[in-house]
């Protein structure tokens, strides 16, 4: 009895949502977003104020002029996740992004974890961008705002900000009101700010090639000594390295690329608009790919212009572009850069706030969060309660908290989401169609009611079958996916995720031992690689689903596995403090899930309906945990 209850509870945790829209019902949200709206949303969210700061910091201390290579490597790495999002956007045109994708493939508990971490990422991201916007305005006024607030409302509480940032509070609440008005209105404002930001970046790009000097990409020790002797101590010189185009070597390029990778985070907000895009199967893949390409061109152009205008060791880390224009004698251009920074922050803030209520809405509609959060306004057709609640939470965080120490928490949620989307694409491509699965279910039950003599006649088959198992895995007979091949891929993918996690742990925690030839680390890594290559080969040999889609990830299963590897490795770089903070957030989430979500899930209702109806229907009597897709 106890064992049966434990099994039933375990089945609840791995319940999966059907791949299609529930009951074939039409979306409650307004389908009003075009491909251009999605591109603007993705570019605005991804191309934030970091483009004005990040290039200088990485070029000065990590990569030098080779920062253009760093952005190329980071863009190619981000494309791995972007392609996976693009296929799922074409496959599942619903709100929820990676939360929904993991619900379809991995199960309910994993989906809740993904959605809960995404909410954390979007809340912290929105609040931190709002405070950055406030700081930018404050610096333009000579820090007058901060001095007044600190003198009047000074806070002396650990882990809180020095003063309440009322400017950030008002900004977040204002944009919350804009989001309530409708998706098309929000997209229009995003397009305006993103367009102005791209104009400013184009000006910087052209200025760099007009005022730049190619000699700055091949500097020597003599140039460094000359700069040191002429320094007026207004800023400190960075290290020279070995000079030239790659002054800090290949290791510097990799370290710089790891930092630049986070500059491309944000395109996933496009996937949350699946229920509001006019033609999601086409618009979401196009929007993701085009936005990533535009962001790469912007980062590449700005970093090239910056390192051509100023020697990399003379770049000012805090304000690289204004100081670069001072260096070349174009001081008034600083105001253009300031305007671009505000536009970038505005579009980035909207891009961070737009997907947050969509994820909450999707989870509430599935019953995993409180159902009231799924309420949609009749006229604007926006998730009004989810928008107001999430905006209020972000505004409260921006008002009271100093978020610089919490920014790494954003990365955990994003990287976890990227990994699960890649895993989901890998698994679903090898699953059979739902119609075929139903036929197979019927065949299974017919086999179960056959007379015993037939069953006993098969008793001698297992020995012969076991000897042919490996051969059948590497050379399957069927050319289309079956239930067995789908389960094989699912098991292999889970095993690969575990092996990749262990390999990333070794690479992150003991890199010196590994590359110095330590026998234990080297042997362990070698065995892990052999197992990974072997299991990948087994997955590659399985038949893929031939169902046509508007976009499919190429080079399966290699590209999704590469994406999973990169994302897990970057997660392993997080500090223990960050993981402890993440654990506290997850404890709050688990209290909600086990106290409410697991008992009010829509999948629980779907499971109970067949038991209440006639038990003669074979298709509805199969336990739901066994199959990823159900009607």
């Amino acid at each position: 009895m106890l064992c049966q209850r434990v099994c039933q509870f375990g089945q609840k945790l791995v319940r999966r949502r059907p791949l299609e829209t529930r009951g074939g019902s039409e979306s409650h949200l307004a389908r009003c977003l075009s491909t251009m709206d999605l591109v603007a949303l993705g570019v605005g969210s991804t191309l934030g104020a970091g483009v004005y700061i990040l290039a200088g910091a990485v070029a000065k201390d990590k990569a030098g002029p080779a920062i253009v290579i760093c952005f190329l490597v980071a863009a190619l790495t981000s494309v791995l996740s972007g392609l996976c999002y693009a296929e799922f956007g074409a496959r599942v045109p619903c709100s929820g992004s990676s939360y929904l994708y993991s619900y379809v493939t991995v199960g309910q508990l994993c989906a809740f974890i993904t959605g809960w971490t995404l909410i954390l990422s979007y809340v912290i991201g929105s609040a931190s961008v709002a405070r950055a916007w406030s700081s930018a305005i404050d610096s333009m006024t000579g820090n007058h705002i901060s001095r007044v607030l600190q003198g009047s409302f000074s806070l002396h509480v650990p882990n809180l900000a020095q003063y309440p940032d009322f400017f950030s509070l008002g900004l977040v609440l204002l944009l919350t009101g804009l989001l309530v008005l409708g998706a098309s209105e929000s997209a229009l404002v995003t397009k305006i700010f993103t367009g102005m930001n791209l104009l400013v970046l184009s000006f910087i790009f052209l200025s760099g090639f007009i005022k730049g000097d190619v000699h700055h990409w091949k500097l020597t020790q003599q140039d460094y000594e000359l700069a040191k002797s002429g320094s007026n101590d207004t800023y400190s010189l960075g290290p020279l390295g070995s000079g030239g185009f790659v002054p800090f070597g290949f290791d510097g390029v990799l370290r710089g690329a790891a930092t630049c990778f986070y500059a491309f985070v944000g395109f996933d907000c496009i996937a949350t608009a699946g229920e509001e895009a006019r033609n999601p199967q086409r618009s979401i893949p196009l929007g993701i790919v085009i936005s990533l390409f535009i962001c790469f061109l912007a980062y590449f152009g700005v970093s090239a212009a910056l390192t051509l205008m100023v020697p990399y060791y003379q770049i000012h880390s805090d304000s690289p572009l204004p100081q670069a224009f001072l260096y070349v004698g174009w001081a008034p251009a600083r105001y253009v850069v300031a305007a671009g920074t505000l536009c970038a922050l505005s579009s980035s803030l909207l891009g961070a706030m737009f997907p947050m209520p969509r994820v909450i809405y999707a989870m509430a509609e599935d019953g995993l969060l409180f159902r009231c959060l799924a309420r949609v306004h009749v006229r604007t057709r926006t998730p009004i309660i989810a928008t107001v609640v999430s905006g209020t939470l972000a505004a409260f965080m921006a008002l009271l908290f100093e978020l610089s120490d919490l920014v790494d928490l954003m990365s955990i949620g994003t990287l976890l989401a990227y990994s699960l989307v890649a895993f989901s694409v890998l698994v679903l491509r090898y699953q059979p169609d739902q119609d075929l699965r139903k036929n197979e279910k019927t065949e299974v039950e017919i086999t179960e009611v056959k007379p015993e003599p037939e069953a006993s006649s098969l008793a001698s088959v297992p020995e012969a079958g076991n000897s042919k198992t490996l051969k059948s895995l590497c050379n399957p007979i069927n050319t289309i996916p079956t239930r067995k091949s789908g389960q094989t891929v699912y098991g292999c993918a889970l095993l690969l995720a575990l092996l990749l996690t262990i390999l990333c742990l070794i690479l992150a925690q003991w890199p010196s031992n590994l590359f110095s030839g330590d026998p234990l680390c080297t042997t362990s890594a070698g065995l892990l690689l052999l197992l990974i290559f072997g299991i990948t080969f087994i997955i590659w040999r399985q038949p893929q689903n031939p169902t046509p889609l508007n976009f499919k990830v190429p080079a399966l299963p290699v590209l999704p596995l590469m994406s999973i590897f990169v994302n897990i490795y970057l997660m392993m770089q997080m500090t223990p403090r960050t993981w402890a903070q993440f654990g506290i957030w997850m404890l709050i989430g688990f209290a909600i899930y086990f106290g409410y979500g697991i008992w009010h899930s829509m999948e629980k209702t779907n499971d109970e309906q067949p038991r209440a109806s006639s038990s003669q229907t074979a298709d509805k009597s199969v336990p739901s945990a066994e199959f990823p897709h159900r009607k």
Side-chain angles (χ1 to χ4, degrees):
M1 188 66 179
L2 178 61
C3 182
Q4 185 180 4
R5 289 185 177 180
V6 171
C7 290
Q8 289 176 349
F9 184 76
Q11 286 182 355
K12 290 180 181 179
L13 301 181
V14 296
R15 288 181 298 207
R16 297 170 195 156
R17 179 177 161 167
L19 187 59
E20 75 280 0
T21 305
R22 292 191 188 281
S25 61
E26 190 64 28
S27 170
H28 297 294
L29 306 181
R31 290 202 179 274
C32 57
L33 300 181
S34 64
T35 302
M36 182 63 69
D37 293 328
L38 295 181
V39 170
L41 184 64
V43 173
S45 180
T46 306
L47 203 63
V51 68
Y52 297 93
I53 304 294
L54 184 65
V58 175
K60 183 174 182 178
D61 299 320
K62 295 181 180 179
I67 185 176
V68 293
I69 300 178
C70 294
F71 277 117
L72 176 61
V73 173
L76 292 175
T77 306
S78 298
V79 163
L80 298 177
S81 298
L83 293 177
C84 295
Y85 269 90
E87 175 170 332
F88 246 114
R91 192 185 289 271
V92 190
C94 301
S95 290
S97 185
S98 52
Y99 153 74
L100 174 61
Y101 305 160
S102 56
Y103 203 166
V104 167
T105 310
V106 185
Q108 189 178 98
L109 177 60
C110 193
F112 181 87
I113 293 172
T114 305
W116 192 244
T117 54
L118 281 178
I119 293 171
L120 174 68
S121 300
Y122 291 138
V123 168
I124 294 178
S126 301
S128 60
V129 174
R131 288 192 71 94
W133 212 104
S134 175
S135 298
I137 293 293
D138 185 42
S139 64
M140 291 179 186
T141 61
N143 299 323
H144 180 70
I145 298 175
S146 59
R147 284 199 296 267
V148 171
L149 290 175
Q150 194 164 358
S152 304
F153 304 97
S154 182
L155 299 176
H156 300 286
V157 181
N159 300 319
L160 292 185
Q162 295 180 353
Y163 58 89
D165 194 338
F166 294 105
F167 196 91
S168 298
L169 172 72
L171 180 63
V172 175
L173 292 179
L174 177 66
L175 292 184
T176 300
L178 174 64
L179 291 171
V180 168
L181 290 178
S184 58
E185 289 77 6
S186 305
L188 176 62
V189 175
T190 303
K191 280 192 288 188
I192 294 172
F193 282 126
T194 302
M196 294 174 65
N197 184 25
L198 290 176
L199 285 176
V200 172
L201 294 177
S202 300
F203 167 75
I204 295 170
F205 179 74
L206 293 175
S207 301
F209 281 90
I210 293 171
K211 300 294 292 183
D213 186 354
V214 180
H215 178 70
H216 291 160
W217 281 10
K218 43 188 177 182
L219 297 167
T220 62
Q221 181 69 35
Q222 183 178 359
D223 297 313
Y224 187 71
E225 295 296 335
L226 188 62
K228 187 184 291 186
S229 62
S231 175
N232 56 7
D233 291 328
T234 57
Y235 54 84
S236 58
L237 289 177
L240 172 68
S242 60
F245 184 73
V246 191
F248 303 104
F250 182 68
D251 182 58
V253 171
L254 289 181
R255 288 187 293 115
T259 303
C260 293
F261 173 82
Y262 295 105
F264 292 92
V265 168
F267 66 85
D268 54 303
C269 69
I270 295 176
T272 63
E275 282 190 46
E276 293 163 290
R278 293 173 188 158
N279 185 6
Q281 284 92 347
R282 180 178 180 273
S283 296
I284 291 179
L286 274 178
I288 290 174
V289 174
I290 293 174
S291 63
L292 280 175
F293 181 69
I294 292 174
C295 291
F296 164 69
L297 290 181
Y299 281 120
F300 185 91
V302 169
S303 58
L306 178 63
T307 51
L308 284 172
M309 284 195 290
V310 187
Y312 62 89
Y313 45 74
Q314 289 183 277
I315 292 175
H316 197 286
S317 298
D318 295 329
S319 56
L321 289 171
Q323 294 297 326
F325 281 111
L326 277 177
Y327 184 88
V328 298
W330 283 16
R334 292 180 297 169
Y335 301 106
V336 177
V337 173
T341 303
L342 290 180
C343 289
L345 284 168
S346 301
S347 60
S348 181
L349 181 55
L350 265 173
M353 293 182 65
F354 182 87
M356 182 165 48
R358 271 75 187 168
V359 174
I360 295 175
Y361 161 78
M363 296 178 70
E365 191 178 42
D366 289 334
L368 300 188
L369 290 180
F370 306 109
R371 287 284 171 82
C372 61
L373 296 172
R375 180 183 171 188
V376 176
H377 194 276
V378 177
R379 186 177 64 82
T380 62
R381 297 183 69 182
T382 55
I384 182 169
I385 303 298
T387 302
V388 171
V389 169
S390 60
T392 303
L393 179 59
F396 176 77
M397 293 280 289
L399 175 69
L400 295 178
F401 288 90
E402 190 64 55
L403 298 162
S404 57
D405 296 333
L406 300 177
V407 171
D408 282 345
L409 275 176
M410 296 167 50
S411 302
I412 291 182
T414 303
L415 294 172
L416 177 63
Y418 285 2
S419 302
L420 283 169
V421 170
F423 179 88
S424 301
V425 167
L426 178 63
V427 169
L428 274 187
R429 184 76 74 82
Y430 294 94
Q431 302 302 316
D433 288 332
Q434 292 185 356
D435 292 338
L436 178 61
R437 298 183 79 95
K438 284 200 278 186
N439 293 337
E440 289 180 353
K441 291 177 191 177
T442 306
E443 290 174 6
V444 167
E445 297 219 347
I446 291 173
T447 303
E448 288 177 352
V449 298
K450 282 184 178 180
E452 284 190 11
E454 289 191 26
S456 62
S457 65
L458 298 175
S460 60
V461 173
E463 291 187 12
N466 289 336
S467 64
K468 296 180 180 180
T469 300
L470 185 59
K471 183 178 179 181
S472 64
L473 287 176
C474 297
N475 191 20
I477 300 174
N478 296 306
T479 57
I480 60 173
T482 63
R483 178 170 172 264
K484 181 179 179 182
S485 67
Q487 290 178 340
T488 298
V489 171
Y490 195 91
C492 288
L494 286 174
L495 185 56
L496 276 176
L498 176 62
L499 294 175
L500 287 172
T501 301
I502 298 173
L503 180 61
C504 290
L505 184 64
I506 294 174
L507 290 173
Q509 300 299 322
W510 301 285
S512 57
N513 294 359
L514 181 63
F515 295 111
S516 64
D518 180 77
L520 180 60
C521 288
T522 305
T523 304
S524 300
L527 289 174
L528 287 171
L529 287 174
L530 283 175
L531 288 172
I532 289 169
F533 285 130
I535 298 172
T536 302
F537 178 78
I538 291 175
I539 293 178
W540 175 65
R541 294 296 298 161
Q542 304 308 307
Q544 294 188 24
N545 193 316
T547 302
L549 294 173
N550 286 325
F551 181 84
K552 286 187 176 183
V553 177
L556 232 68
V558 176
L559 289 189
L561 289 175
M562 289 176 62
S563 176
I564 293 172
F565 171 75
V566 171
N567 296 327
I568 293 177
Y569 178 76
L570 291 174
M571 287 170 64
M572 292 296 177
Q573 306 296 318
M574 302 297 171
T575 62
R577 180 182 178 183
T578 300
W579 283 106
Q581 293 168 340
F582 179 72
I584 294 172
W585 175 254
M586 289 313 305
L587 285 176
I588 299 172
F590 286 145
I592 295 175
Y593 175 71
F594 289 107
Y596 178 88
I598 195 172
W599 310 110
H600 294 81
S601 166
M602 285 291 292
E603 299 311 307
K604 177 178 182 290
T605 305
N606 292 344
D607 288 344
E608 290 174 350
Q609 284 176 352
R611 287 193 289 269
S613 62
S614 175
S615 61
Q616 296 176 359
T617 306
D619 181 42
K620 294 184 179 181
S621 63
V622 181
S624 61
E626 293 183 9
F627 302 102
H629 313 299
R630 307 188 314 282
K631 284 284 184 181

